[in-house]
Amino acid sequence: MQIELRTQVIEPRRKTFTHVSNRYGDRPASRYEEGTIDLQGSEHFQYKPLWAPDKEIYSPDFSELKLADPYSYMDPRQYYYTPYVSARADLHEAFGATLSYLDKRGMFDRLPEAWHGVLQNIVLPLRHYEGAAQMISAAAARYGWGTSITQCFSYASFDRIGNAQMLSRAGISLGGGTADPLAVAKTAWIEDPTWQGLRKHVELTLAEQDWGKAIVALDVTDRVIYQLLYTHLDDVAIGSGAGSYSLIAQHFSTWFVDQRKWFDALYKAWAADPEHGAANVETLSAVVSQTLATVAEALAPVMTAVDGLVDAGAVDALAATVDQTRSAYAALGVATEVAS
Protein backbone atom coordinates (compact mmCIF):
# COMPACT_ATOMS: atom_id res chain seq x y z
CA MET A 1 0.00 0.00 0.00
CA GLN A 2 1.32 3.43 -0.93
CA ILE A 3 0.49 6.67 0.86
CA GLU A 4 0.79 9.87 -1.13
CA LEU A 5 0.98 13.17 0.76
CA ARG A 6 -0.20 16.23 -1.07
CA THR A 7 -0.41 19.88 -0.07
CA GLN A 8 -3.88 21.28 -0.42
CA VAL A 9 -4.41 25.02 -0.35
CA ILE A 10 -7.72 26.08 1.12
CA GLU A 11 -8.69 29.57 0.09
CA PRO A 12 -10.35 31.49 2.93
CA ARG A 13 -13.88 32.68 2.27
CA ARG A 14 -12.89 36.13 3.48
CA LYS A 15 -9.45 37.71 3.58
CA THR A 16 -10.16 40.01 6.52
CA PHE A 17 -12.79 41.11 9.00
CA THR A 18 -16.05 42.69 7.87
CA HIS A 19 -15.31 46.08 9.45
CA VAL A 20 -12.16 46.33 7.31
CA SER A 21 -13.60 44.88 4.09
CA ASN A 22 -16.55 47.28 4.27
CA ARG A 23 -14.09 50.14 3.82
CA TYR A 24 -11.29 48.67 1.70
CA GLY A 25 -12.85 45.66 0.04
CA ASP A 26 -12.03 42.02 0.67
CA ARG A 27 -8.26 42.15 0.61
CA PRO A 28 -5.61 40.99 3.09
CA ALA A 29 -5.27 43.54 5.89
CA SER A 30 -2.48 44.29 8.32
CA ARG A 31 -2.85 43.64 12.03
CA TYR A 32 -2.82 47.41 12.53
CA GLU A 33 -5.77 47.87 10.17
CA GLU A 34 -7.74 45.03 11.73
CA GLY A 35 -7.27 46.51 15.19
CA THR A 36 -7.99 50.10 14.18
CA ILE A 37 -10.43 50.66 11.31
CA ASP A 38 -14.01 51.60 12.23
CA LEU A 39 -13.81 50.32 15.81
CA GLN A 40 -15.07 53.58 17.32
CA GLY A 41 -18.41 52.98 19.02
CA SER A 42 -21.02 55.05 17.20
CA GLU A 43 -24.42 53.60 18.09
CA HIS A 44 -26.29 51.54 20.70
CA PHE A 45 -25.23 53.87 23.52
CA GLN A 46 -27.06 53.06 26.73
CA TYR A 47 -27.16 56.49 28.32
CA LYS A 48 -26.17 60.12 27.97
CA PRO A 49 -23.57 61.35 30.45
CA LEU A 50 -25.15 63.34 33.27
CA TRP A 51 -22.11 65.66 33.24
CA ALA A 52 -22.62 66.46 29.53
CA PRO A 53 -26.33 65.93 28.75
CA ASP A 54 -26.00 67.69 25.39
CA LYS A 55 -23.68 64.94 24.06
CA GLU A 56 -23.60 61.19 23.69
CA ILE A 57 -21.13 59.32 25.89
CA TYR A 58 -18.88 59.04 22.82
CA SER A 59 -19.10 62.05 20.55
CA PRO A 60 -16.98 63.99 18.06
CA ASP A 61 -18.26 67.17 19.71
CA PHE A 62 -15.97 66.96 22.74
CA SER A 63 -13.50 69.03 20.72
CA GLU A 64 -13.56 71.78 18.14
CA LEU A 65 -10.90 69.84 16.22
CA LYS A 66 -12.64 67.35 13.96
CA LEU A 67 -12.12 65.12 10.95
CA ALA A 68 -14.97 64.37 8.57
CA ASP A 69 -13.61 60.83 8.46
CA PRO A 70 -11.40 60.08 11.49
CA TYR A 71 -9.85 57.17 9.59
CA SER A 72 -8.44 59.54 7.01
CA TYR A 73 -5.71 59.75 9.64
CA MET A 74 -3.56 56.69 10.30
CA ASP A 75 -0.59 56.30 12.63
CA PRO A 76 2.52 56.36 10.40
CA ARG A 77 4.19 53.97 12.86
CA GLN A 78 1.36 51.43 12.40
CA TYR A 79 1.43 50.73 16.13
CA TYR A 80 -0.90 48.22 17.67
CA TYR A 81 -0.31 46.60 21.05
CA THR A 82 2.49 44.15 20.23
CA PRO A 83 4.91 46.41 18.30
CA TYR A 84 4.25 49.27 20.72
CA VAL A 85 5.09 47.18 23.77
CA SER A 86 8.16 45.74 22.05
CA ALA A 87 9.45 49.21 21.09
CA ARG A 88 8.95 50.63 24.55
CA ALA A 89 10.49 47.60 26.23
CA ASP A 90 13.60 48.23 24.15
CA LEU A 91 13.62 51.91 25.09
CA HIS A 92 13.37 51.25 28.82
CA GLU A 93 15.87 48.41 28.65
CA ALA A 94 18.34 50.79 26.98
CA PHE A 95 17.67 53.41 29.67
CA GLY A 96 18.25 50.82 32.37
CA ALA A 97 21.55 49.86 30.75
CA THR A 98 22.60 53.52 30.72
CA LEU A 99 21.79 53.90 34.42
CA SER A 100 23.67 50.70 35.24
CA TYR A 101 26.73 52.05 33.43
CA LEU A 102 26.49 55.42 35.21
CA ASP A 103 26.12 53.72 38.60
CA LYS A 104 28.92 51.22 37.99
CA ARG A 105 31.34 53.92 36.89
CA GLY A 106 30.29 56.39 39.60
CA MET A 107 29.45 58.94 36.91
CA PHE A 108 26.97 60.89 39.02
CA ASP A 109 29.63 61.32 41.69
CA ARG A 110 31.95 62.75 39.05
CA LEU A 111 29.32 65.12 37.70
CA PRO A 112 30.35 68.78 38.07
CA GLU A 113 28.49 70.41 40.93
CA ALA A 114 26.70 72.88 38.66
CA TRP A 115 25.37 70.07 36.45
CA HIS A 116 24.35 68.13 39.53
CA GLY A 117 22.24 71.21 40.31
CA VAL A 118 20.74 71.15 36.80
CA LEU A 119 19.63 67.55 37.22
CA GLN A 120 18.31 68.11 40.74
CA ASN A 121 16.68 71.51 40.36
CA ILE A 122 15.72 71.69 36.68
CA VAL A 123 15.23 68.19 35.26
CA LEU A 124 13.83 66.12 38.14
CA PRO A 125 10.87 68.46 38.88
CA LEU A 126 9.66 67.68 35.36
CA ARG A 127 8.60 64.21 36.48
CA HIS A 128 5.47 66.03 37.74
CA TYR A 129 5.06 67.67 34.33
CA GLU A 130 5.22 64.21 32.75
CA GLY A 131 2.60 62.96 35.20
CA ALA A 132 0.26 65.76 34.13
CA ALA A 133 1.01 65.00 30.48
CA GLN A 134 -0.09 61.42 31.13
CA MET A 135 -3.49 62.60 32.39
CA ILE A 136 -3.96 65.03 29.49
CA SER A 137 -3.12 62.28 27.00
CA ALA A 138 -5.45 59.81 28.73
CA ALA A 139 -8.29 62.34 28.57
CA ALA A 140 -7.69 62.73 24.82
CA ALA A 141 -7.82 58.94 24.47
CA ARG A 142 -11.15 58.86 26.31
CA TYR A 143 -12.90 61.79 24.66
CA GLY A 144 -11.31 61.67 21.20
CA TRP A 145 -13.24 60.37 18.20
CA GLY A 146 -11.91 57.61 15.97
CA THR A 147 -9.77 54.66 17.01
CA SER A 148 -6.89 55.64 14.74
CA ILE A 149 -6.57 58.84 16.79
CA THR A 150 -7.45 57.68 20.29
CA GLN A 151 -5.07 54.73 20.26
CA CYS A 152 -2.18 57.14 19.57
CA PHE A 153 -3.16 59.12 22.64
CA SER A 154 -3.49 55.91 24.65
CA TYR A 155 0.06 54.92 23.80
CA ALA A 156 1.22 58.49 24.47
CA SER A 157 -0.32 58.38 27.94
CA PHE A 158 1.68 55.25 28.74
CA ASP A 159 4.77 56.94 27.28
CA ARG A 160 4.39 59.91 29.60
CA ILE A 161 4.13 57.85 32.77
CA GLY A 162 7.13 55.92 31.45
CA ASN A 163 9.04 59.18 31.05
CA ALA A 164 8.15 60.12 34.62
CA GLN A 165 9.44 56.74 35.77
CA MET A 166 12.72 57.24 33.88
CA LEU A 167 13.18 60.59 35.60
CA SER A 168 12.42 58.91 38.93
CA ARG A 169 15.02 56.23 38.25
CA ALA A 170 17.56 58.89 37.30
CA GLY A 171 16.79 60.74 40.54
CA ILE A 172 17.25 57.62 42.64
CA SER A 173 20.60 56.97 40.94
CA LEU A 174 21.58 60.59 41.53
CA GLY A 175 20.79 60.08 45.22
CA GLY A 176 22.95 57.00 45.49
CA GLY A 177 19.99 54.65 45.70
CA THR A 178 17.77 56.88 47.84
CA ALA A 179 14.66 58.82 46.85
CA ASP A 180 15.84 62.02 48.54
CA PRO A 181 16.34 63.92 45.25
CA LEU A 182 12.75 63.12 44.27
CA ALA A 183 11.41 64.60 47.50
CA VAL A 184 13.46 67.75 46.90
CA ALA A 185 12.17 67.96 43.32
CA LYS A 186 8.55 67.59 44.46
CA THR A 187 8.95 70.40 46.95
CA ALA A 188 10.49 72.58 44.23
CA TRP A 189 7.60 71.89 41.84
CA ILE A 190 5.02 72.81 44.47
CA GLU A 191 6.74 75.66 46.30
CA ASP A 192 9.68 77.12 44.35
CA PRO A 193 8.65 80.38 42.58
CA THR A 194 10.78 79.31 39.62
CA TRP A 195 8.26 76.62 38.69
CA GLN A 196 4.94 78.24 39.51
CA GLY A 197 4.37 79.74 36.06
CA LEU A 198 4.80 76.37 34.35
CA ARG A 199 2.84 74.60 37.07
CA LYS A 200 -0.08 77.01 36.64
CA HIS A 201 0.01 76.52 32.87
CA VAL A 202 -0.03 72.73 33.28
CA GLU A 203 -2.89 72.76 35.76
CA LEU A 204 -5.00 75.04 33.54
CA THR A 205 -4.32 72.66 30.64
CA LEU A 206 -5.51 69.78 32.82
CA ALA A 207 -8.76 71.67 33.42
CA GLU A 208 -9.38 72.38 29.69
CA GLN A 209 -12.64 70.65 28.70
CA ASP A 210 -11.82 70.49 24.98
CA TRP A 211 -9.47 67.51 24.67
CA GLY A 212 -8.11 68.75 21.34
CA LYS A 213 -7.12 72.15 22.68
CA ALA A 214 -5.56 70.55 25.76
CA ILE A 215 -3.46 68.07 23.81
CA VAL A 216 -2.25 70.76 21.39
CA ALA A 217 -1.31 73.04 24.29
CA LEU A 218 0.63 70.14 25.79
CA ASP A 219 2.41 69.49 22.50
CA VAL A 220 3.43 73.12 22.12
CA THR A 221 4.87 73.03 25.63
CA ASP A 222 6.63 69.75 24.87
CA ARG A 223 8.31 71.18 21.80
CA VAL A 224 9.86 74.00 23.78
CA ILE A 225 10.83 72.00 26.88
CA TYR A 226 12.29 69.02 25.05
CA GLN A 227 14.31 71.21 22.71
CA LEU A 228 15.74 73.24 25.58
CA LEU A 229 16.46 70.50 28.12
CA TYR A 230 17.26 67.48 26.00
CA THR A 231 18.85 69.05 22.92
CA HIS A 232 20.24 72.50 23.77
CA LEU A 233 21.45 71.57 27.25
CA ASP A 234 22.69 68.24 25.92
CA ASP A 235 24.93 70.10 23.48
CA VAL A 236 26.24 72.30 26.29
CA ALA A 237 26.77 69.31 28.59
CA ILE A 238 28.94 67.50 26.04
CA GLY A 239 31.36 70.43 25.99
CA SER A 240 31.26 70.93 29.77
CA GLY A 241 32.37 67.54 31.05
CA ALA A 242 28.83 66.51 31.98
CA GLY A 243 28.66 63.32 29.96
CA SER A 244 26.24 61.64 32.37
CA TYR A 245 23.68 64.39 31.71
CA SER A 246 24.07 63.81 27.99
CA LEU A 247 23.60 60.05 28.37
CA ILE A 248 20.33 60.62 30.26
CA ALA A 249 19.07 63.30 27.86
CA GLN A 250 19.52 61.16 24.74
CA HIS A 251 16.74 58.77 25.76
CA PHE A 252 14.19 61.58 26.10
CA SER A 253 15.18 63.23 22.84
CA THR A 254 14.93 59.83 21.09
CA TRP A 255 11.41 59.34 22.46
CA PHE A 256 10.39 62.81 21.30
CA VAL A 257 11.49 62.07 17.73
CA ASP A 258 9.06 59.14 17.76
CA GLN A 259 6.31 61.35 19.22
CA ARG A 260 6.69 63.75 16.34
CA LYS A 261 6.07 61.03 13.75
CA TRP A 262 2.40 60.57 14.57
CA PHE A 263 1.56 63.98 16.03
CA ASP A 264 2.79 66.01 13.06
CA ALA A 265 0.81 63.70 10.75
CA LEU A 266 -2.30 64.45 12.82
CA TYR A 267 -1.78 68.21 12.46
CA LYS A 268 -1.57 67.77 8.69
CA ALA A 269 -4.77 65.71 8.68
CA TRP A 270 -6.60 68.32 10.74
CA ALA A 271 -5.45 71.13 8.45
CA ALA A 272 -6.23 69.29 5.22
CA ASP A 273 -9.66 67.96 6.18
CA PRO A 274 -12.09 68.83 3.34
CA GLU A 275 -14.98 69.66 5.67
CA HIS A 276 -13.39 70.98 8.88
CA GLY A 277 -9.92 72.05 7.71
CA ALA A 278 -10.45 75.81 7.81
CA ALA A 279 -12.08 75.74 11.25
CA ASN A 280 -9.37 73.38 12.53
CA VAL A 281 -6.59 75.69 11.36
CA GLU A 282 -8.27 78.65 13.04
CA THR A 283 -8.55 76.74 16.33
CA LEU A 284 -5.00 75.41 16.07
CA SER A 285 -3.58 78.84 15.32
CA ALA A 286 -5.30 80.37 18.35
CA VAL A 287 -4.19 77.60 20.74
CA VAL A 288 -0.61 77.51 19.47
CA SER A 289 -0.24 81.31 19.57
CA GLN A 290 -1.63 81.60 23.09
CA THR A 291 0.39 78.64 24.40
CA LEU A 292 3.68 79.88 22.93
CA ALA A 293 3.23 83.20 24.70
CA THR A 294 2.33 81.46 27.97
CA VAL A 295 5.21 78.99 27.76
CA ALA A 296 7.75 81.70 26.94
CA GLU A 297 6.71 83.57 30.09
CA ALA A 298 6.45 80.44 32.27
CA LEU A 299 9.86 79.07 31.30
CA ALA A 300 11.73 82.37 31.57
CA PRO A 301 12.54 81.95 35.30
CA VAL A 302 13.46 78.29 34.71
CA MET A 303 15.95 79.23 32.00
CA THR A 304 17.31 82.04 34.19
CA ALA A 305 17.91 79.42 36.89
CA VAL A 306 19.72 77.23 34.34
CA ASP A 307 22.01 80.09 33.34
CA GLY A 308 22.67 80.77 37.00
CA LEU A 309 23.99 77.23 37.31
CA VAL A 310 25.88 76.53 34.08
CA ASP A 311 25.77 79.67 31.91
CA ALA A 312 24.28 77.72 29.02
CA GLY A 313 22.74 80.66 27.17
CA ALA A 314 19.37 79.17 28.10
CA VAL A 315 17.49 82.50 28.18
CA ASP A 316 18.53 83.27 24.61
CA ALA A 317 17.85 79.66 23.63
CA LEU A 318 14.29 80.00 24.95
CA ALA A 319 13.53 82.88 22.58
CA ALA A 320 15.14 81.02 19.69
CA THR A 321 13.22 77.83 20.49
CA VAL A 322 9.90 79.66 20.59
CA ASP A 323 10.67 81.06 17.13
CA GLN A 324 11.68 77.60 15.87
CA THR A 325 8.48 76.12 17.25
CA ARG A 326 6.43 78.81 15.52
CA SER A 327 8.17 77.99 12.24
CA ALA A 328 7.58 74.26 12.75
CA TYR A 329 3.84 74.84 13.08
CA ALA A 330 3.83 77.09 10.02
CA ALA A 331 5.40 74.22 8.05
CA LEU A 332 2.46 72.06 9.16
CA GLY A 333 -0.02 74.64 7.85
CA VAL A 334 -0.70 76.33 11.18
CA ALA A 335 0.18 80.02 11.11
CA THR A 336 0.63 81.72 14.48
CA GLU A 337 0.56 85.26 15.79
CA VAL A 338 3.62 86.80 17.42
CA ALA A 339 2.83 88.24 20.83
CA SER A 340 3.37 91.99 20.95
Side-chain angles (χ1 to χ4, degrees):
M1 182 179 68
Q2 289 184 328
I3 297 176
E4 184 178 1
L5 298 178
R6 295 181 179 179
T7 300
Q8 184 176 4
V9 179
I10 302 175
E11 292 292 334
R13 291 187 178 183
R14 297 182 302 171
K15 294 182 173 64
T16 186
F17 295 102
T18 301
H19 65 277
V20 179
S21 63
N22 286 344
R23 180 178 286 265
Y24 298 127
D26 189 25
R27 62 162 177 77
S30 68
R31 291 287 181 89
Y32 170 74
E33 290 174 327
E34 290 176 345
T36 302
I37 298 301
D38 288 322
L39 294 185
Q40 170 67 57
S42 58
E43 57 186 47
H44 305 310
F45 299 143
Q46 296 181 356
Y47 60 90
K48 287 181 177 292
L50 295 177
W51 37 266
D54 58 323
K55 299 180 180 67
E56 296 288 352
I57 191 168
Y58 299 112
S59 169
D61 295 329
F62 281 112
S63 177
E64 293 179 14
L65 296 170
K66 296 182 173 68
L67 293 175
D69 175 13
Y71 300 98
S72 62
Y73 168 77
M74 302 288 275
D75 184 354
R77 305 168 302 175
Q78 301 283 287
Y79 271 174
Y80 58 96
Y81 180 80
T82 301
Y84 168 75
V85 170
S86 178
R88 292 303 177 262
D90 290 343
L91 186 151
H92 283 268
E93 184 177 350
F95 186 78
T98 296
L99 282 184
S100 295
Y101 172 77
L102 294 175
D103 289 341
K104 185 180 299 183
R105 301 292 293 173
M107 296 291 285
F108 284 123
D109 294 334
R110 304 181 192 182
L111 192 65
E113 183 178 355
W115 282 97
H116 185 285
V118 170
L119 270 174
Q120 173 64 78
N121 301 320
I122 306 300
V123 176
L124 290 186
L126 288 174
R127 61 195 287 265
H128 301 285
Y129 171 80
E130 295 289 349
Q134 186 270 334
M135 290 188 283
I136 294 167
S137 300
R142 160 59 184 90
Y143 294 106
W145 183 256
T147 310
S148 59
I149 295 173
T150 56
Q151 68 181 356
C152 287
F153 292 128
S154 296
Y155 296 143
S157 71
F158 284 109
D159 283 350
R160 303 317 289 254
I161 203 65
N163 290 350
Q165 289 172 347
M166 288 197 295
L167 288 173
S168 297
R169 293 174 66 185
I172 291 170
S173 291
L174 185 68
T178 73
D180 294 343
L182 303 185
V184 173
K186 180 178 180 180
T187 300
W189 178 258
I190 295 174
E191 299 179 5
D192 191 331
T194 300
W195 289 104
Q196 298 318 299
L198 182 61
R199 181 183 167 209
K200 177 182 178 180
H201 166 59
V202 168
E203 292 181 358
L204 289 175
T205 304
L206 279 167
E208 171 59 61
Q209 297 298 299
D210 185 311
W211 66 263
K213 291 180 178 179
I215 203 71
V216 170
L218 173 65
D219 186 55
V220 174
T221 312
D222 281 344
R223 285 179 183 263
V224 178
I225 287 177
Y226 272 73
Q227 172 64 27
L228 288 170
L229 265 65
Y230 303 124
T231 299
H232 175 73
L233 279 185
D234 182 17
D235 291 339
V236 177
I238 291 173
S240 303
S244 50
Y245 182 92
S246 183
L247 288 172
I248 294 293
Q250 66 169 327
H251 295 283
F252 293 95
S253 59
T254 297
W255 170 80
F256 195 63
V257 169
D258 185 74
Q259 175 86 342
R260 295 266 52 84
K261 292 177 182 177
W262 67 268
F263 218 145
D264 286 352
L266 180 56
Y267 282 119
K268 292 176 181 178
W270 274 331
D273 189 79
E275 183 176 338
H276 303 288
N280 287 344
V281 169
E282 183 177 354
T283 298
L284 289 168
S285 296
V287 174
V288 172
S289 298
Q290 179 180 350
T291 306
L292 278 175
T294 301
V295 169
E297 182 178 356
L299 287 178
V302 179
M303 294 302 105
T304 299
V306 171
D307 281 341
L309 289 167
V310 293
D311 191 22
V315 172
D316 292 337
L318 172 59
T321 300
V322 169
D323 289 339
Q324 291 170 8
T325 302
R326 185 174 287 108
S327 298
Y329 280 107
L332 295 172
V334 180
T336 59
E337 297 180 0
V338 180
S340 57

